Amino acid sequence: MLTKLYDAVVAIGRFQPPHRSHLALIERAIAQARGHVIVCIGSANQPRTVKNPFTFNERADLIRASLPPAEAA
């Protein structure tokens, strides 16, 4: 099966916290991109609450740490 490649792919989520399905979404975006993958993290400016336990920076760090180094740039 041939996969169409795109110049840019966007993955959107709250990632509170990032889990396997989020990472599968990002990996699929990487597989379909010949250019950039843009990960949009929702609730970025929200204060820490029970519903939003992680800050934007913590979630971004968790996502980067979960990807292979070449894909986490």
Side-chain angles (χ1 to χ4, degrees):
M1 179 171 98
L2 295 175
T3 301
K4 183 174 180 178
L5 296 179
Y6 299 92
D7 293 330
V9 179
V10 177
I12 301 171
R14 284 185 48 237
F15 306 101
Q16 283 283 7
H19 51 71
R20 288 184 196 181
S21 294
H22 288 131
L23 298 176
L25 170 75
I26 294 169
E27 289 289 343
R28 177 141 184 181
I30 291 168
Q32 292 184 336
R34 68 172 154 246
H36 299 283
V37 174
I38 302 160
V39 178
C40 296
I41 301 175
S43 305
N45 296 318
Q46 297 298 313
R48 189 184 304 264
T49 65
V50 172
K51 187 177 177 181
N52 294 307
F54 297 99
T55 66
F56 167 82
N57 289 330
E58 290 170 335
R59 291 178 282 157
D61 290 343
L62 287 167
I63 293 168
R64 284 188 198 101
S66 299
L67 296 171
E71 296 176 354

